[in-house]
Amino acid sequence: MSDIIPVRFAGTGSYLPEEVLGNDYFEKILDTSDEWIATRTGIRERRRASKDENTSILSANAGRAAIEDAGLTPEDIDVIILATATPDHPFPSTAAFVQSHLGCVNAAAFDVGAACSGFLHACWIAAGQLQAGMATNVLVIGAETLSRFLDYKERGVCILMGDGAGAVVMTKAEREGQGILHATLGCDGTKAKHIWIPAGGAALPSSETTVAERMHYMQMKGRDVFKFAVVKMTSLIDEAMEKTGLSPDDLKMVIPHQSNLRIIEAARERLGLPAEKIAVNIEKYGNTSAASVPITFDEARRAGKLASGDKIMLLAIGAGLTWGSMVFEL
Ligand code: UT7
């Protein structure tokens, strides 16, 4: 087994907007059905941010809960890392607004863009900072307001996504054996246009034409991403088991990115795990991109399903295409 990175998750939090959009909402506006959405994706409903909410607000709500859970104050946080693909503005970073909302006056703050696997990328950076002694308490957030970037005429995409935020406070391990046992990240940039928003950036600034052609909305080659995700999940799981020397039975829980129940099921089958060992909430929230892993982690912890000493695996694949996995002892 490779060396443990001695860090811990000292607190977790999450925030979901109040408005619930059931599959019946899409039945009214699109040629789709509850039956199609539920059987092809596992999704029954998702949340949508109110007009007064945006990514920094969702982030601050989740972040506040995580700081409280860790028994800290906003002043104790020295870095905020926010993983998001749906920033409030092109710049400054959304993390800067979060720093102000939370009153984390001593914190550096920046965003990480790795879409659905962004939270794992952000935890990886935080772990490096903590291990190097460059930080003491890092607030890591995954948050999205995807509803602002969805084409509600595109039935293959808009039915999938939801809004929400999850957060953790990472700090140094407090006992031997606690920490990250394995972490891997990756990217295949040749597939950068598999999931993307074509317009609104430096390559193609917004114009009347881009708006008329709906290029400011998220586009996805769903079937290609699906196939890629199933194969990549399998290789991430195999690699994590090999590198840690653990067997799936040693894991208390696997927390995968909630992109499609069929992808999650493929991972569960690969591991040969019983249903209760793989965390699933996609039926309630849909795919919340960078927010899905930390929301699911927080729910499992608060439900009393996880305890200190448990070994947990996080897994995610997303736009880029990027991916990540992490095995840690809580
Ligand atoms: O989080 C980042 C990573 N993202 C993912 O992992 C998403 C991966 N992809 C997927 O989850 C699936 O590919 C989708 C759920 C997006 C689509 O499911 P699919 O089983 O791959 O369907 P498909 O795209 O191959 O489409 C099958 C049919 C098509 O009709 P035809 O061409 O066979 O007549 C689609 O037009 O289903 C149609 N379709 C729909 N029908 C009813 C697509 N969306 C819908 C819909 N309602 N909402």
Side-chain angles (χ1 to χ4, degrees):
M1 194 193 298
S2 49
D3 288 343
I4 293 174
I5 303 171
V7 296
R8 70 188 172 103
F9 294 88
T12 63
S14 55
Y15 175 77
L16 279 310
E18 262 175 39
E19 189 189 6
V20 176
L21 288 190
N23 289 345
D24 58 332
Y25 171 83
F26 294 96
E27 286 179 328
K28 287 178 205 133
I29 61 168
L30 287 167
D31 178 14
T32 190
S33 64
D34 173 47
E35 202 264 332
W36 192 97
I37 300 171
T39 47
R40 294 293 182 114
T41 72
I43 301 167
R44 298 266 173 202
E45 53 190 43
R46 70 289 289 145
R47 300 298 178 92
R48 183 162 65 178
S50 72
K51 66 176 176 27
D52 300 325
E53 291 174 319
N54 51 33
T55 302
S56 67
I57 305 275
L58 307 188
S59 299
N61 290 340
R64 198 173 292 113
I67 293 170
E68 251 179 56
D69 188 43
L72 298 174
T73 67
E75 291 82 8
D76 296 325
I77 302 297
D78 42 25
V79 188
I80 297 172
I81 311 177
L82 170 58
T84 187
T86 52
D88 286 3
H89 304 277
F91 70 87
S93 72
T94 303
F97 292 99
V98 177
Q99 194 245 23
S100 162
H101 296 330
L102 287 174
C104 290
V105 290
N106 300 313
F110 59 93
D111 291 358
V112 166
C116 304
S117 59
F119 177 74
L120 281 160
H121 283 69
C123 288
W124 185 73
I125 297 168
Q129 289 177 324
L130 290 165
Q131 192 177 26
M134 293 162 75
T136 306
N137 296 309
V138 186
L139 177 62
V140 182
I141 306 170
E144 306 284 5
T145 316
L146 285 149
S147 60
R148 305 276 154 76
F149 298 87
L150 295 177
D151 184 346
Y152 283 90
K153 292 188 171 165
E154 184 46 72
R155 66 179 181 170
V157 179
C158 68
I159 52 108
L160 297 170
M161 314 308 289
D163 298 339
V168 296
V169 174
M170 289 178 70
T171 187
K172 280 185 195 136
E174 55 187 2
R175 59 173 171 74
E176 189 99 358
Q178 186 176 45
I180 296 173
L181 311 179
H182 167 75
T184 189
L185 300 175
C187 175
D188 179 355
T190 65
K191 298 181 174 55
K193 296 182 181 176
H194 275 32
I195 312 175
W196 70 323
I197 296 178
L204 186 58
S206 306
S207 67
E208 283 178 21
T209 310
T210 63
V211 172
E213 293 181 6
R214 310 180 82 74
M215 296 169 83
H216 54 301
Y217 291 128
M218 175 182 162
Q219 298 180 3
M220 179 170 72
K221 292 181 184 162
R223 198 175 298 188
D224 292 337
V225 177
F226 185 94
K227 285 188 206 145
F228 181 91
V230 171
V231 172
K232 184 53 78 180
M233 281 280 201
T234 304
S235 66
L236 287 173
I237 288 167
D238 291 349
E239 185 192 351
M241 294 295 95
E242 195 199 314
K243 291 264 166 69
T244 57
L246 297 173
S247 82
D249 285 346
D250 297 322
L251 298 170
K252 182 67 187 289
M253 188 171 278
V254 176
I255 301 178
H257 168 47
Q258 308 286 305
S259 54
N260 186 314
L261 188 58
R262 290 184 290 148
I263 297 175
I264 297 172
E265 273 299 304
R268 190 181 70 75
E269 277 170 27
R270 182 72 187 183
L271 284 155
L273 287 178
E276 67 273 12
K277 277 199 167 190
I278 193 145
V280 179
N281 58 16
I282 191 170
E283 72 284 359
K284 292 189 291 183
Y285 307 135
N287 177 346
T288 56
S289 187
S292 90
V293 169
I295 289 172
T296 313
F297 181 23
D298 180 53
E299 283 197 336
R301 256 194 88 233
R302 285 177 191 259
K305 293 180 184 166
L306 304 176
S308 182
D310 287 344
K311 293 189 175 60
I312 296 155
M313 185 194 286
L314 310 180
L315 278 171
I317 288 150
L321 293 177
T322 57
W323 57 86
S325 80
M326 184 181 282
V327 179
F328 60 89
E329 183 173 313
L330 194 61

